[in-house]
């Protein structure tokens, strides 16, 4: 978990605390209470660095999916009420053995509602984070993590599904995989990208940067002859949506992703899992 306390251009990054144990902490009270006490003390009095008085505010908490649920004391991402941002109720998809989240119109969760305990199916236990001064428990525990949501989330799920034929109309044969891998070897990526794309047979072991490179640079060429026409046009909604949202000028325009998610629910059933749902919640809460 990364807690961003403040931005100090003239000071190095500092380790505030390290939790040590033989396994992950079982109690968020034990894990977070010392942090909350120290944060509140710093918020009240500030801190002196190089003779300068610095005001402190806990701006955000960055954590992976299981850690976010743990520190907030809520249902995990595979639960029926696992969305951190809205009140959508999951639907279990037996064919894909996944929890899916259809639609994007559920009411948003709020800091007031969370503190009032109105989300009965969402809450599991209380959290010390509620005691942090001037902290929004919904907005300040962020989920806008492209690496895990899009690259290692949606994109990985698509590529592996196309390759293995799970939840898709497509199942790449060995000769298809060889052809795709040969195309990947020929692609010249921008000079600042140092990791080359490995053969498609290693897709389950690709790094997030490989999936990002595949999405942004290789996909629209490689996939055109390898997946059905309708599936390719459906994928272009994701490609164009992510590309547009990479620019501040088009940050508010998420309708392509909305169309992608709607079509995913209709054609792929169990595809609208937590990663895709979190992308949609993040997009439409900006």
């Amino acid at each position: 978990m990364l807690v961003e306390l403040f931005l100090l251009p003239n000071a190095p990054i500092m380790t505030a605390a390290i939790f040590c144990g033989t396994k992950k902490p079982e109690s968020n009270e034990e894990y977070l209470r010392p942090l909350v006490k120290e944060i509140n003390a710093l918020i009240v009095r500030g801190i002196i660095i190089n003779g300068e008085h610095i005001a402190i505010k806990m701006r955000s908490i960055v954590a992976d999916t299981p850690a976010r649920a743990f520190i907030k004391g809520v249902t995990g991402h595979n639960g029926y009420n696992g969305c951190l941002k809205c009140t959508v109720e999951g639907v279990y998809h037996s064919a894909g053995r996944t929890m899916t989240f259809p639609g994007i119109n559920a009411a948003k969760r709020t800091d007031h509602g969370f503190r009032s305990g109105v989300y009965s199916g969402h809450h599991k236990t209380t959290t010390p984070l509620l005691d942090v001064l001037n902290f929004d428990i919904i907005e300040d525990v962020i989920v806008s993590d492209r690496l895990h949501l899009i690259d290692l989330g949606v994109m990985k799920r698509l590529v592996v599904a196309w390759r293995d034929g799970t939840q898709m109309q497509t199942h790449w044969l060995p000769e298809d995989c060889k052809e795709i891998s040969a195309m990947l070897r020929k692609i010249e990526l921008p000079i600042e990208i140092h990791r080359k794309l490995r053969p498609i047979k290693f897709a389950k072991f690709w790094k997030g940067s490989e999936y990002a490179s595949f999405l942004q640079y290789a996909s629209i060429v490689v996939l055109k002859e390898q997946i059905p026409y309708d599936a390719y046009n459906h994928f272009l909604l994701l490609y164009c949506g992510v590309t547009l949202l990479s620019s501040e000028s088009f940050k508010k325009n998420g309708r392509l992703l909305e169309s992608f998610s709607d079509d995913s629910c209709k054609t792929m059933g169990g595809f609208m899992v937590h990663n895709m749902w979190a992308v949609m919640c993040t997009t439409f809460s900006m």
Side-chain angles (χ1 to χ4, degrees), residues 36-283:
V36 171
K37 288 182 178 179
E38 185 171 0
I39 286 290
N40 283 340
L42 290 171
I43 291 173
V44 170
R45 69 171 184 262
I47 190 173
I48 303 295
I49 297 181
N50 296 329
E52 183 178 356
H53 184 268
I54 305 296
I56 303 297
K57 180 184 185 297
M58 189 158 78
R59 177 180 171 185
S60 62
I61 295 179
V62 181
D64 64 16
T65 300
R68 288 194 295 265
F70 169 71
I71 62 175
K72 294 181 68 170
V74 299
T75 301
H77 64 285
N78 288 324
Y80 285 98
N81 295 280
C83 184
L84 299 182
K85 295 294 185 180
C86 76
T87 58
V88 64
E89 186 167 336
V91 176
Y92 183 72
H93 189 266
S94 56
R97 291 184 292 180
T98 54
M99 186 66 70
T100 63
F101 298 91
I104 60 169
N105 298 315
K108 304 299 183 184
R109 299 195 193 277
T110 65
D111 180 77
H112 175 73
F114 192 99
R115 293 175 186 274
S116 301
V118 300
Y119 308 126
S120 57
H122 185 58
H123 289 281
K124 291 178 63 177
T125 184
T126 187
T127 171
L129 292 179
L130 293 175
D131 296 330
V132 176
L133 299 173
N134 305 317
F135 186 72
D136 189 311
I137 193 69
I138 302 299
E139 297 298 327
D140 294 341
V141 180
I142 63 174
V143 298
S144 54
D145 171 9
R146 169 176 172 154
L147 172 64
H148 293 95
L149 297 183
I150 296 177
D151 301 328
L152 289 174
V154 178
M155 199 63 245
K156 180 177 181 179
R157 191 174 181 84
L158 281 171
V159 171
V160 173
W162 285 322
R163 188 193 66 181
D164 299 343
T166 54
Q167 297 175 254
M168 297 290 190
Q169 303 171 4
T170 303
H171 183 186
W172 290 333
L173 299 174
E175 51 267 34
D176 297 324
C177 292
K178 288 182 180 179
E179 182 179 348
I180 293 170
S181 297
M183 294 181 70
L184 295 179
R185 284 196 300 270
K186 295 178 181 179
I187 292 175
E188 294 287 341
L189 297 173
I191 193 171
E192 63 268 19
I193 298 177
H194 304 293
R195 185 184 293 275
K196 293 184 178 181
L197 290 165
R198 286 176 285 174
I200 205 71
K201 67 179 181 179
F202 298 119
K204 282 189 177 180
F205 307 102
W206 278 6
K207 300 294 185 181
S209 59
E210 289 174 279
Y211 278 109
S213 295
F214 182 85
L215 172 60
Q216 301 292 169
Y217 302 107
S219 62
I220 57 174
V221 175
V222 171
L223 296 176
K224 189 170 185 179
E225 303 299 328
Q226 298 297 338
I227 60 177
Y229 177 80
D230 290 345
Y232 182 72
N233 285 335
H234 176 237
F235 170 76
L236 289 180
L237 295 172
L238 174 68
Y239 170 81
C240 294
V242 171
T243 301
L244 288 173
L245 289 172
S246 299
S247 169
E248 289 293 329
S249 300
F250 301 102
K251 196 172 182 180
K252 296 291 184 181
N253 189 351
R255 296 305 166 190
L256 290 172
L257 291 183
E258 181 181 2
S259 297
F260 175 80
S261 67
D262 285 345
D263 290 348
S264 296
C265 290
K266 296 173 185 175
T267 60
M268 292 182 282
F271 182 76
M272 192 62 168
V273 292
H274 181 267
N275 285 324
M276 188 63 223
W277 180 253
V279 171
M280 298 307 302
C281 279
T282 301
T283 300

